[in-house]
Every structure is written in C-alpha cells, then in structure tokens.
Amino acid sequence: MVSRVRVWLNRTYAENVFFMDQLRRNPGDRAVEIHATHGDADSPVLAAADTAELEPEGLSPAGYVEYALDQCQRRGIDVFVPRLHQAAVVAHRAEFEAVGTALLAPPPEAVAVFHDKVIAYEAVQAIGVPVPPWWRVRDAEELVAAVEELEAAGHKACFKPASGAGGVGFRVITRSPFSMAQLNGFPSPYVPLDLVVDALAQAEEEVDWLVMPRLEQPEVSVDCLTGPDNRIRMAVGRTKNGRRRGFTLHEQWLEPARAIAEGFGLHYLSNIQFRMFGDRPVLMDVNTRPAGGLHQLSLCGINAPWAAVRLALGEDPGEVAPPFLGQDYTVVSGLRPLLSGAVPQQRLEEPQQARPTVPAPINSVEVRAGQALPL
C-alpha cells in the first residue's frame, strides 16, 4: 500500500491554493495531506490546508529554521516547500533530511545568486544569456545619471529594489510634473523624477535600486522543473500581453531558461521571466520558487506541483512535456473559504470561538490572479 504524502507550504502566496488543489488531484490518485502556516490568519491557504497554524512573528532566520525543523518532525512532513526564509532553510538541508523531510527548493548557492538582481544579471550574462542595460544606484545623483543616460538612448527609465520579489517597489520614471492626472485615475507605477529625487534627498539612508529601461511585452515566464542532477525535466513558457495570456514552447524563451536552470542548479521548481528589449528577449527576473501562476499549466495538461513533489521524493517523473498547448486565456478573481473565527465577534456578549485547525467555509476572500478562463 502506498503511503500518503505530507506536504508543508509556509507563508506562501494566496494563489497557491491552486497549487494545493493540484497536489490533491494528482494523476496517481495518491493521498496527499497539506499543512500550511502563515502570519495572516485570513490567508486562504490556511483554510485550504488539512492542518494549519499561525506562524510566530519576529523570528530571526536561525530561529525560523528551528521552528521549521520542529514543524517537520512534529507533523511528519515528507516535502517542505519553503518560501519565507528560503535561504536560511536550504542551508540546513541535511538537518531536514535527518528528520525525514525533503526540501522542494534549490541549494543555497543557487538561492544566493538570484537573491541579488545585480549578482544575478552578472552571472547569467557570463553564460551568454542576454540582459538589459542596468545601473545600481544608491542615491539621487546616481539615479539622475542613470535616467539621463537611458533617456538619451531613447528609453524610458524604471527602477526596482536590487533584491525583492513580486514587483514590490517597481516604478517607472516620468518627467511630467505631478498633477491631477495622477489623482483622477487608478494608481499607476509612474512617478515624477523630481519627487523621487526629493524623497532620496530626505531619506536617512541609502537605497539599493536597479535602474534599467522599461522593457516591452510580451512578458514570458518560463516554469522549469529541474532535478538534483541539474537535468531539466520541464520548461514551458506562459505569455502575457496585456489581458491576454497564453503558452509557448518557442526556443527563444526556453533555451536561455534551460541554460539558467541547469547552469545554476535551480533544483525543483523555478520561474524565469523575460521581456523584449528592442527586437530580442532579455532576462527580467529569476524566482527560485514556484510561481503563483504555475497552476495555469493545467490548461496544457500538466500537473507541475505533483511532478515536483514526486521528484523531491526521489520518484523521477521523467520528461514532463505538455501533450498540447492550451488556448489563450485571461485571469479573473474568485472566491475561496477562510477559517471561521478569524473576524472578531461583533457582539461582545458572545464569547469568541477558538480557531479551528481545519477549513470551515463560512467566510470567504477574493483570490486575485487566480482562476484562468479562456478568451
């Protein structure tokens, strides 16, 4: 009899409720139990899990590793998919293996390379993968110099943190003064250069930004599955052009993604993003974790989360190739249950109920960028 598989996702993105759904709907119909932890009591991943806990706040990376080892041993975790403190966790892989837990994450050397975008760009450029021109800036003077050089070449400048994920801190520089145009519509990433310079002048410490040209669409995210032997098992591109999404197996996207995944040992699931600079694709970003949109590959007949879990368990799934490419689609929000008791009681005379550890579909939340619908 094949035993059930126990998988833990820690403080992960809301979209990974679909990752969890796919693990349960695996082709072999193997029993999967999912443990989830998060710092937000209203994260839908807690309700989607079989067991769930709130994570303690304020732990150092070392303290978090101790917490994670305790979770794995106490909960009998077979496969741990770390997002929070990934670098610290993978540095202790042997200790997790000693308690019977496989880490679905790359080795520490690969995580370190792609934590800093400047180091990442220099590293991938050295193996022949094209990158856009970039400047690392720390203050207003360096920012203005980079922006002026980009504008002189006919490009629109943008900046983002040298380390970070999820598009946090991304802004596009404009020379237009701040006006009602910025207030009448939805918030946009455009910021006037003079306001950025003023903010930098008033800042108490240096920033660490990457300035580069605004890259053009399409954006292509290549989801990769790579084994501990550095051999890639899957590479499928997801395209984004405005609202329209689709899939691609064109080598102009897949070949550089394979070179990065295999060359740097991005074991298990990674996501490698490209955009256009002029008439050629260039690297935009590398994520050493599963992408939030990974589940969209189900439209191509692929269950990538389950293939990755099998690989982590030592059960090589072989080449994971799409039997077909799904039609173009768009992404809409949907409803997912929340744990009951997370919202404070409205009537004070009623005692607050204890938080359950299993899903109770009483409250709900919108999961953005969740369900894929055909166009």
Side-chain angles (χ1 to χ4, degrees):
M1 180 178 178
V2 179
S3 63
R4 65 96 172 95
V5 179
R6 187 87 163 131
V7 181
W8 173 27
L9 284 79
N10 75 330
R11 206 172 295 211
T12 193
Y13 301 109
E15 288 83 3
N16 274 336
V17 294
F18 305 112
F19 186 104
M20 299 159 77
D21 290 344
Q22 286 191 285
L23 289 182
R24 293 191 177 102
R25 295 196 300 264
N26 64 80
D29 200 27
R30 189 165 175 183
V32 175
E33 293 182 7
I34 299 173
H35 181 55
T37 58
H38 209 285
D40 179 4
D42 286 337
S43 170
V45 300
L46 296 181
D50 297 290
T51 59
E53 289 184 20
L54 281 176
E55 292 188 353
E57 295 293 343
L59 291 180
S60 67
Y64 193 88
V65 170
E66 292 183 10
Y67 162 79
L69 283 166
D70 176 71
Q71 286 280 312
C72 289
Q73 190 163 25
R74 185 161 51 87
R75 295 283 185 175
I77 301 300
D78 298 300
V79 178
F80 176 23
V81 187
R83 189 199 67 82
L84 183 67
H85 293 309
Q86 185 191 63
V89 168
V90 298
H92 293 266
R93 187 180 300 271
E95 294 171 48
F96 284 94
E97 291 176 348
V99 299
T101 301
L103 297 181
L104 202 153
E109 299 81 9
V111 174
V113 167
F114 295 103
H115 175 73
D116 186 299
K117 292 179 174 59
V118 170
I119 294 174
Y121 277 10
E122 290 174 340
V124 301
Q125 196 170 23
I127 66 169
V129 174
V131 300
W134 51 269
W135 291 257
R136 190 170 205 158
V137 306
R138 308 282 190 176
D139 54 33
E141 184 177 352
E142 291 179 349
L143 173 70
V144 171
V147 170
E148 288 180 345
E149 190 165 346
L150 280 167
E151 290 179 343
H155 303 299
K156 189 178 292 293
C158 63
F159 65 87
K160 57 186 176 182
S163 61
V168 175
F170 172 79
R171 298 293 186 272
V172 182
I173 293 290
T174 177
R175 295 281 186 166
S176 302
F178 188 82
S179 67
M180 289 301 297
Q182 278 81 22
L183 301 177
N184 286 335
F186 290 104
S188 83
Y190 286 86
V191 290
L193 178 60
D194 58 334
L195 295 187
V196 180
V197 169
D198 289 344
L200 288 173
Q202 297 174 33
E204 296 181 357
E205 57 187 30
E206 291 182 334
V207 297
D208 188 9
W209 288 346
L210 201 66
V211 176
M212 56 196 298
R214 176 74 185 272
L215 302 175
E216 301 301 324
Q217 293 184 327
E219 179 179 320
V220 177
S221 293
V222 181
D223 294 307
C224 296
L225 176 62
T226 309
D229 56 1
N230 290 347
R231 184 169 60 83
I232 204 158
R233 308 304 200 272
M234 179 194 78
V236 182
R238 290 182 287 113
T239 65
K240 182 192 300 184
N241 202 333
R243 183 186 292 268
R244 182 171 292 271
R245 312 289 179 92
F247 303 100
T248 181
L249 295 177
H250 198 292
E251 284 299 316
Q252 71 172 342
W253 312 105
L254 269 54
E255 189 276 331
R258 289 193 199 97
I260 293 171
E262 293 184 337
F264 294 97
L266 291 178
H267 300 167
Y268 305 108
L269 289 168
S270 60
N271 177 257
I272 303 171
Q273 302 170 0
F274 301 89
R275 273 195 176 223
M276 298 299 293
F277 180 60
D279 59 356
R280 67 171 183 166
V282 294
L283 179 69
M284 186 170 68
D285 209 352
V286 175
N287 294 309
T288 60
R289 53 166 176 77
L294 179 68
H295 64 281
Q296 292 162 17
L297 294 185
S298 64
L299 297 178
C300 299
I302 291 178
N303 188 328
W306 180 244
V309 166
R310 286 190 62 200
L311 193 56
L313 292 171
E315 305 168 6
D316 197 331
E319 183 183 1
V320 182
F324 53 86
L325 290 184
Q327 70 182 91
D328 285 359
Y329 63 102
T330 191
V331 172
V332 298
S333 60
L335 300 178
R336 298 289 296 202
L338 292 180
L339 293 175
S340 64
V343 178
Q345 297 291 328
Q346 299 302 304
R347 296 196 299 178
L348 296 179
E349 67 270 22
E350 294 183 0
Q352 186 164 342
Q353 298 177 352
R355 183 181 308 283
T357 58
V358 295
I362 296 176
N363 304 314
S364 62
V365 67
E366 257 188 343
V367 178
R368 298 288 179 182
Q371 301 178 13
L373 295 180
L375 288 170

Short mmCIF file of all heavy atoms in Angstrom, two decimals, residues 1-8 23-24 26 28-35 50-51 71-79 99-101 306 309-310 313 315:
data_model
loop_
_atom_site.label_atom_id
_atom_site.label_comp_id
_atom_site.label_asym_id
_atom_site.label_seq_id
_atom_site.Cartn_x
_atom_site.Cartn_y
_atom_site.Cartn_z
N MET A 1 0.84 -1.20 0.00
CA MET A 1 0.00 0.00 0.00
C MET A 1 0.88 1.24 0.00
O MET A 1 1.82 1.35 0.79
CB MET A 1 -0.92 0.01 1.22
CG MET A 1 -1.84 1.21 1.30
SD MET A 1 -2.94 1.11 2.73
CE MET A 1 -3.81 2.66 2.55
N VAL A 2 0.60 2.19 -0.89
CA VAL A 2 1.38 3.42 -0.99
C VAL A 2 0.93 4.37 0.11
O VAL A 2 -0.26 4.63 0.28
CB VAL A 2 1.21 4.08 -2.37
CG1 VAL A 2 2.00 5.37 -2.43
CG2 VAL A 2 1.66 3.12 -3.46
N SER A 3 1.89 4.86 0.88
CA SER A 3 1.55 5.76 1.98
C SER A 3 1.18 7.14 1.47
O SER A 3 1.54 7.53 0.35
CB SER A 3 2.73 5.85 2.95
OG SER A 3 3.85 6.42 2.28
N ARG A 4 0.48 7.87 2.28
CA ARG A 4 0.11 9.24 1.93
C ARG A 4 1.34 10.13 2.00
O ARG A 4 2.33 9.83 2.66
CB ARG A 4 -1.00 9.74 2.84
CG ARG A 4 -0.61 9.88 4.33
CD ARG A 4 -0.21 11.30 4.65
NE ARG A 4 -0.03 11.50 6.07
CZ ARG A 4 1.14 11.42 6.70
NH1 ARG A 4 2.23 11.08 6.02
NH2 ARG A 4 1.24 11.65 8.00
N VAL A 5 1.28 11.25 1.31
CA VAL A 5 2.38 12.22 1.28
C VAL A 5 1.94 13.45 2.06
O VAL A 5 0.85 13.98 1.84
CB VAL A 5 2.74 12.62 -0.17
CG1 VAL A 5 3.87 13.64 -0.17
CG2 VAL A 5 3.12 11.40 -0.98
N ARG A 6 2.79 13.90 2.94
CA ARG A 6 2.50 15.07 3.79
C ARG A 6 3.36 16.23 3.31
O ARG A 6 4.59 16.17 3.32
CB ARG A 6 2.85 14.72 5.23
CG ARG A 6 2.45 15.76 6.23
CD ARG A 6 1.04 15.57 6.70
NE ARG A 6 0.80 16.32 7.92
CZ ARG A 6 -0.25 17.12 8.10
NH1 ARG A 6 -1.13 17.26 7.13
NH2 ARG A 6 -0.43 17.76 9.22
N VAL A 7 2.73 17.31 2.84
CA VAL A 7 3.41 18.46 2.24
C VAL A 7 3.13 19.70 3.08
O VAL A 7 1.98 19.93 3.50
CB VAL A 7 2.95 18.69 0.78
CG1 VAL A 7 3.69 19.88 0.16
CG2 VAL A 7 3.18 17.43 -0.06
N TRP A 8 4.17 20.52 3.29
CA TRP A 8 4.02 21.76 4.05
C TRP A 8 4.39 22.95 3.17
O TRP A 8 5.45 22.96 2.55
CB TRP A 8 4.92 21.74 5.30
CG TRP A 8 4.96 23.04 6.07
CD1 TRP A 8 3.99 24.00 6.13
CD2 TRP A 8 6.04 23.51 6.89
NE1 TRP A 8 4.40 25.05 6.94
CE2 TRP A 8 5.65 24.76 7.42
CE3 TRP A 8 7.28 22.99 7.23
CZ2 TRP A 8 6.47 25.50 8.27
CZ3 TRP A 8 8.10 23.72 8.08
CH2 TRP A 8 7.70 24.96 8.59
N LEU A 23 -2.09 19.24 -6.05
CA LEU A 23 -1.46 18.13 -5.32
C LEU A 23 -2.50 17.07 -4.97
O LEU A 23 -2.24 15.87 -5.08
CB LEU A 23 -0.79 18.64 -4.05
CG LEU A 23 0.48 19.47 -4.22
CD1 LEU A 23 1.04 19.86 -2.87
CD2 LEU A 23 1.54 18.72 -5.02
N ARG A 24 -3.67 17.51 -4.58
CA ARG A 24 -4.71 16.54 -4.20
C ARG A 24 -5.29 15.83 -5.43
O ARG A 24 -5.72 14.68 -5.33
CB ARG A 24 -5.83 17.27 -3.44
CG ARG A 24 -5.40 17.81 -2.08
CD ARG A 24 -6.61 18.27 -1.29
NE ARG A 24 -6.24 18.73 0.04
CZ ARG A 24 -6.13 20.01 0.41
NH1 ARG A 24 -6.36 20.96 -0.48
NH2 ARG A 24 -5.80 20.33 1.64
N ASN A 26 -3.78 14.61 -7.99
CA ASN A 26 -2.64 14.06 -8.72
C ASN A 26 -3.06 12.86 -9.55
O ASN A 26 -4.00 12.14 -9.22
CB ASN A 26 -1.51 13.70 -7.74
CG ASN A 26 -1.91 12.60 -6.77
OD1 ASN A 26 -1.87 11.42 -7.11
ND2 ASN A 26 -2.28 12.99 -5.54
N GLY A 28 -1.89 9.92 -10.02
CA GLY A 28 -1.86 8.60 -9.40
C GLY A 28 -2.89 8.42 -8.30
O GLY A 28 -2.96 7.34 -7.69
N ASP A 29 -3.69 9.46 -8.05
CA ASP A 29 -4.71 9.42 -7.00
C ASP A 29 -4.10 9.04 -5.65
O ASP A 29 -4.72 8.35 -4.84
CB ASP A 29 -5.83 8.45 -7.39
CG ASP A 29 -7.12 8.72 -6.61
OD1 ASP A 29 -7.32 9.88 -6.21
OD2 ASP A 29 -7.91 7.77 -6.40
N ARG A 30 -2.90 9.53 -5.42
CA ARG A 30 -2.22 9.25 -4.14
C ARG A 30 -2.73 10.19 -3.07
O ARG A 30 -2.97 11.37 -3.32
CB ARG A 30 -0.71 9.41 -4.33
CG ARG A 30 0.10 8.92 -3.13
CD ARG A 30 1.55 8.77 -3.52
NE ARG A 30 2.38 8.42 -2.39
CZ ARG A 30 3.70 8.29 -2.46
NH1 ARG A 30 4.32 8.46 -3.62
NH2 ARG A 30 4.42 7.96 -1.40
N ALA A 31 -2.88 9.69 -1.88
CA ALA A 31 -3.37 10.52 -0.77
C ALA A 31 -2.34 11.58 -0.41
O ALA A 31 -1.16 11.28 -0.21
CB ALA A 31 -3.67 9.64 0.43
N VAL A 32 -2.77 12.82 -0.35
CA VAL A 32 -1.90 13.95 0.00
C VAL A 32 -2.56 14.73 1.12
O VAL A 32 -3.74 15.07 1.05
CB VAL A 32 -1.67 14.88 -1.21
CG1 VAL A 32 -0.85 16.11 -0.80
CG2 VAL A 32 -0.96 14.13 -2.34
N GLU A 33 -1.81 14.98 2.17
CA GLU A 33 -2.26 15.85 3.25
C GLU A 33 -1.37 17.09 3.26
O GLU A 33 -0.15 16.98 3.14
CB GLU A 33 -2.19 15.13 4.59
CG GLU A 33 -3.17 13.98 4.72
CD GLU A 33 -3.11 13.32 6.08
OE1 GLU A 33 -2.38 13.84 6.96
OE2 GLU A 33 -3.76 12.28 6.26
N ILE A 34 -2.00 18.23 3.41
CA ILE A 34 -1.27 19.50 3.29
C ILE A 34 -1.33 20.26 4.60
O ILE A 34 -2.41 20.45 5.18
CB ILE A 34 -1.85 20.36 2.15
CG1 ILE A 34 -1.71 19.60 0.82
CG2 ILE A 34 -1.13 21.70 2.06
CD1 ILE A 34 -2.40 20.28 -0.35
N HIS A 35 -0.16 20.68 5.04
CA HIS A 35 -0.03 21.54 6.22
C HIS A 35 0.35 22.93 5.73
O HIS A 35 1.16 23.07 4.80
CB HIS A 35 1.05 20.98 7.15
CG HIS A 35 1.25 21.78 8.40
ND1 HIS A 35 0.23 22.08 9.28
CD2 HIS A 35 2.37 22.36 8.93
CE1 HIS A 35 0.70 22.78 10.29
NE2 HIS A 35 2.00 22.97 10.10
N ASP A 50 -5.18 20.90 5.17
CA ASP A 50 -5.78 19.92 6.08
C ASP A 50 -5.50 20.29 7.53
O ASP A 50 -6.35 20.07 8.40
CB ASP A 50 -5.22 18.53 5.77
CG ASP A 50 -5.59 18.06 4.37
OD1 ASP A 50 -6.77 17.77 4.14
OD2 ASP A 50 -4.70 18.02 3.51
N THR A 51 -4.31 20.80 7.78
CA THR A 51 -3.98 21.33 9.10
C THR A 51 -3.29 22.67 8.90
O THR A 51 -2.61 22.89 7.89
CB THR A 51 -3.04 20.39 9.90
OG1 THR A 51 -1.83 20.19 9.15
CG2 THR A 51 -3.72 19.07 10.17
N GLN A 71 8.37 21.83 13.19
CA GLN A 71 7.14 21.57 12.44
C GLN A 71 7.26 20.28 11.64
O GLN A 71 6.36 19.44 11.63
CB GLN A 71 6.85 22.74 11.48
CG GLN A 71 6.34 24.00 12.14
CD GLN A 71 4.85 23.92 12.47
OE1 GLN A 71 4.04 23.53 11.66
NE2 GLN A 71 4.52 24.28 13.70
N CYS A 72 8.40 20.13 10.96
CA CYS A 72 8.59 18.94 10.10
C CYS A 72 8.59 17.66 10.92
O CYS A 72 7.98 16.66 10.53
CB CYS A 72 9.88 19.09 9.31
SG CYS A 72 9.80 20.35 8.02
N GLN A 73 9.28 17.68 12.06
CA GLN A 73 9.35 16.48 12.88
C GLN A 73 8.01 16.18 13.55
O GLN A 73 7.54 15.04 13.55
CB GLN A 73 10.44 16.64 13.93
CG GLN A 73 10.77 15.37 14.69
CD GLN A 73 12.10 15.47 15.42
OE1 GLN A 73 12.56 16.55 15.75
NE2 GLN A 73 12.72 14.33 15.67
N ARG A 74 7.38 17.21 14.08
CA ARG A 74 6.13 17.03 14.81
C ARG A 74 4.98 16.66 13.89
O ARG A 74 4.10 15.87 14.25
CB ARG A 74 5.82 18.31 15.59
CG ARG A 74 4.62 18.25 16.50
CD ARG A 74 4.68 19.36 17.54
NE ARG A 74 4.90 20.66 16.94
CZ ARG A 74 3.92 21.45 16.49
NH1 ARG A 74 2.67 21.05 16.54
NH2 ARG A 74 4.21 22.64 15.98
N ARG A 75 5.00 17.21 12.67
CA ARG A 75 3.89 17.00 11.74
C ARG A 75 4.16 15.86 10.75
O ARG A 75 3.29 15.53 9.94
CB ARG A 75 3.64 18.29 10.94
CG ARG A 75 3.15 19.45 11.78
CD ARG A 75 1.69 19.29 12.11
NE ARG A 75 1.14 20.43 12.82
CZ ARG A 75 -0.15 20.55 13.13
NH1 ARG A 75 -0.99 19.60 12.77
NH2 ARG A 75 -0.58 21.59 13.79
N GLY A 76 5.34 15.27 10.80
CA GLY A 76 5.66 14.19 9.88
C GLY A 76 5.68 14.64 8.44
O GLY A 76 5.15 13.96 7.55
N ILE A 77 6.32 15.77 8.18
CA ILE A 77 6.34 16.35 6.84
C ILE A 77 7.29 15.58 5.93
O ILE A 77 8.45 15.37 6.26
CB ILE A 77 6.76 17.84 6.90
CG1 ILE A 77 5.80 18.65 7.78
CG2 ILE A 77 6.82 18.44 5.49
CD1 ILE A 77 4.36 18.65 7.32
N ASP A 78 6.78 15.16 4.78
CA ASP A 78 7.61 14.49 3.78
C ASP A 78 8.30 15.48 2.85
O ASP A 78 9.47 15.29 2.49
CB ASP A 78 6.76 13.54 2.94
CG ASP A 78 6.12 12.44 3.78
OD1 ASP A 78 6.87 11.67 4.40
OD2 ASP A 78 4.88 12.37 3.81
N VAL A 79 7.57 16.52 2.44
CA VAL A 79 8.11 17.51 1.50
C VAL A 79 7.75 18.90 2.01
O VAL A 79 6.57 19.20 2.25
CB VAL A 79 7.54 17.31 0.08
CG1 VAL A 79 8.10 18.39 -0.86
CG2 VAL A 79 7.89 15.93 -0.46
N VAL A 99 15.38 14.43 9.69
CA VAL A 99 14.07 14.21 10.30
C VAL A 99 13.07 13.69 9.29
O VAL A 99 11.87 13.64 9.55
CB VAL A 99 13.53 15.50 10.99
CG1 VAL A 99 14.47 15.94 12.10
CG2 VAL A 99 13.31 16.63 9.98
N GLY A 100 13.57 13.31 8.08
CA GLY A 100 12.72 12.68 7.09
C GLY A 100 12.01 13.62 6.14
O GLY A 100 11.05 13.22 5.47
N THR A 101 12.49 14.87 6.03
CA THR A 101 11.83 15.88 5.19
C THR A 101 12.72 16.26 4.01
O THR A 101 13.88 16.63 4.19
CB THR A 101 11.51 17.14 6.00
OG1 THR A 101 10.65 16.80 7.10
CG2 THR A 101 10.81 18.19 5.14
N TRP A 306 2.64 18.30 -8.65
CA TRP A 306 2.78 16.90 -8.30
C TRP A 306 4.07 16.31 -8.89
O TRP A 306 4.75 15.50 -8.22
CB TRP A 306 1.57 16.11 -8.77
CG TRP A 306 1.66 14.65 -8.44
CD1 TRP A 306 1.73 13.60 -9.31
CD2 TRP A 306 1.74 14.07 -7.13
NE1 TRP A 306 1.82 12.41 -8.63
CE2 TRP A 306 1.84 12.67 -7.28
CE3 TRP A 306 1.74 14.61 -5.84
CZ2 TRP A 306 1.93 11.80 -6.20
CZ3 TRP A 306 1.83 13.74 -4.76
CH2 TRP A 306 1.93 12.36 -4.95
N VAL A 309 6.80 17.31 -6.50
CA VAL A 309 6.77 16.54 -5.24
C VAL A 309 7.32 15.14 -5.47
O VAL A 309 8.11 14.63 -4.67
CB VAL A 309 5.34 16.51 -4.67
CG1 VAL A 309 5.22 15.44 -3.58
CG2 VAL A 309 4.96 17.87 -4.10
N ARG A 310 6.94 14.51 -6.58
CA ARG A 310 7.49 13.19 -6.89
C ARG A 310 9.01 13.24 -7.01
O ARG A 310 9.72 12.36 -6.50
CB ARG A 310 6.89 12.67 -8.20
CG ARG A 310 5.45 12.20 -8.10
CD ARG A 310 5.06 11.50 -9.38
NE ARG A 310 5.88 10.31 -9.61
CZ ARG A 310 6.04 9.72 -10.80
NH1 ARG A 310 5.44 10.22 -11.88
NH2 ARG A 310 6.80 8.64 -10.91
N LEU A 313 10.67 13.43 -3.73
CA LEU A 313 10.60 12.15 -3.02
C LEU A 313 11.52 11.09 -3.64
O LEU A 313 11.57 9.96 -3.17
CB LEU A 313 9.16 11.63 -3.02
CG LEU A 313 8.15 12.43 -2.20
CD1 LEU A 313 6.75 11.93 -2.45
CD2 LEU A 313 8.49 12.35 -0.70
N GLU A 315 11.19 10.03 -6.78
CA GLU A 315 10.44 9.31 -7.82
C GLU A 315 10.49 10.13 -9.10
O GLU A 315 9.65 10.99 -9.34
CB GLU A 315 8.99 9.11 -7.37
CG GLU A 315 8.85 8.42 -6.02
CD GLU A 315 7.44 8.50 -5.48
OE1 GLU A 315 6.53 9.01 -6.20
OE2 GLU A 315 7.22 8.08 -4.32
#
